[in-house]
Amino acid sequence: MPTILKVSRGFALAAAAAAGAPATAQAILGEDAAVCAADSGPAIRVNVTGLKDRVGRLKLELYPANEQDFLKDDRDLRAEGKFFRRIWAPMPPSGPVAICIKAPAPGRYALLFTHDRDGRNKFDFWKDGAGFPSNVKLGRARPKLHQAVINVGDGVTTTNIRAQYLRGLSGFGPIRGGK
């Protein structure tokens, strides 16, 4: 009877790299990266596309999924004993971008992605980018809760977000040829 070995994904990738074989895994960014890599959620893996450039840093924020708390200041949410989580990640110089953020439990949340291009930790309407799981064009109005809602399961929930930037009078939208 053949012997069956269970090899961890990380070990298999390291062995493939050492043997000169191409590795197929993508680096996951953020302080919660190990949670997504181990598929040990509840967590959200966000694959980001459409970046304007490779400067600054990236941010995910996870809010309670209700109108009163969506995009509310994190200090107020915490003072009220409500959940809020923020993850920062450095901008990789090239390649695909994936960021991980832990959720406190399976459930319904509101997720915001921002591209802080100048690294000042203050959203600059004229320069910075944003995105939500719905990938609906944001336009000029304040984002709506339904654009940001995501249902998180027990494991890692994966979503794709296309970054959007100010595009003149029409407001925020995806750019052509994003990185």
Side-chain angles (χ1 to χ4, degrees), residues 88-99:
W88 287 99
M91 175 66 77
S94 63
V97 174
I99 311 168

Side-chain angles (χ1 to χ4, degrees), residues 113-134:
F113 160 78
T114 56
H115 177 188
D116 180 20
R117 294 178 64 227
D118 61 10
R120 292 180 38 208
N121 191 25
K122 181 169 172 74
F123 190 79
D124 185 330
F125 187 83
W126 305 105
K127 296 178 185 174
D128 294 337
F132 296 98
S134 70

Side-chain angles (χ1 to χ4, degrees), residues 8-149:
S8 77
R9 184 174 179 214
F11 178 81
L13 289 172
T24 57
Q26 168 184 357
I28 301 171
L29 305 171
E31 66 189 65
D32 294 342
V35 175
C36 286
D39 196 22
S40 63
I44 305 165
R45 175 191 165 133
V46 179
N47 298 317
V48 180
T49 60
L51 293 166
K52 188 172 194 173
D53 50 37
R54 294 299 180 122
V55 300
R57 56 192 183 153
L58 308 171
K59 177 174 65 172
L60 291 177
E61 292 182 339
L62 198 58
Y63 295 85
N66 62 64
E67 291 290 346
Q68 300 83 9
D69 297 331
F70 177 53
L71 300 179
K72 193 172 189 177
D73 187 278
D74 62 308
R75 291 172 293 215
D76 294 337
L77 289 169
R78 289 183 175 124
E80 296 167 9
K82 296 179 180 176
F83 169 79
F84 174 82
R85 184 153 181 81
R86 177 181 295 126
I87 295 295
W88 287 99
M91 175 66 77
S94 63
V97 174
I99 311 168
C100 182
I101 188 167
K102 292 188 294 189
R108 186 173 180 255
Y109 298 93
L111 178 66
L112 165 66
F113 160 78
T114 56
H115 177 188
D116 180 20
R117 294 178 64 227
D118 61 10
R120 292 180 38 208
N121 191 25
K122 181 169 172 74
F123 190 79
D124 185 330
F125 187 83
W126 305 105
K127 296 178 185 174
D128 294 337
F132 296 98
S134 70
N135 288 310
V136 173
K137 185 177 180 217
L138 298 176
R140 294 184 293 179
R142 181 182 189 275
K144 306 285 189 250
L145 173 65
H146 73 271
Q147 294 172 305
V149 169

